[in-house]
Amino acid sequence: MQTLLFALGLILFVLGLVTGVAIPAMKNPRMGLASHLQGMTNGPLLVVIGLLWPHVTLSHAWQVVSAALLVYGAYANWLATQLAALWGAGRKFAPLATGEHVASAARERLVNLLLVSLAPAMIAGSIILVVGVVR
């Protein structure tokens, strides 16, 4: 699990770097900056969680659940803001960053779904991780 978290964290970090280079080409550069920052912060977060992993005392099933929730949340955060930047979406949950940009209803729904689902995933995954460390 540790190696997987390292790899997924580094991949997300690289995605954040590439996103930063592509910001000027995005429909909404301000949301592109948000996506860049998500990759640049959530990638290293996954690496740090990987470093913490040897200190986690959980059953294999709970380890998988925690890691899956945290990886989903980190990638969903980058993807939601990336799609919002490319499409000009995100009005409901990021109106200041979205500005005057408007996307189709389907695109807005997808970005909203990712944004709404990532927070509970990150919270639940973090709580499980804390329990595993404190045990």
Side-chain angles (χ1 to χ4, degrees):
M1 192 70 67
Q2 186 177 34
T3 303
L4 180 62
L5 287 165
F6 287 159
L8 292 173
L10 292 171
I11 290 167
L12 186 54
F13 184 78
V14 170
L15 289 172
L17 290 172
V18 172
T19 299
V21 172
I23 289 172
M26 295 181 183
K27 184 173 182 178
N28 182 351
R30 188 170 190 180
M31 193 65 89
L33 176 61
S35 183
H36 163 68
L37 293 172
Q38 293 307 323
M40 299 305 296
T41 56
N42 283 321
L45 172 67
L46 293 177
V47 171
V48 168
I49 292 168
L51 291 170
L52 181 66
W53 210 256
H55 304 285
V56 175
T57 306
L58 293 169
S59 70
H60 179 71
W62 281 110
Q63 287 184 15
V64 170
V65 168
S66 178
L69 289 169
L70 292 165
V71 168
Y72 170 78
Y75 274 84
N77 211 343
W78 172 80
L79 182 61
T81 52
Q82 181 68 28
L83 293 175
L86 294 171
W87 296 339
R91 286 182 98 38
K92 183 173 183 177
F93 295 107
L96 295 177
T98 305
E100 299 300 316
H101 297 282
V102 178
S104 70
R107 289 177 171 182
E108 289 286 351
R109 278 193 302 274
L110 177 57
V111 169
N112 291 345
L113 173 67
L114 289 168
L115 290 173
V116 165
S117 64
L118 73 88
M122 291 296 278
I123 292 167
S126 296
I127 290 170
I128 296 166
L129 186 66
V130 168
V131 169
V133 170
V134 177
R135 289 178 114 184

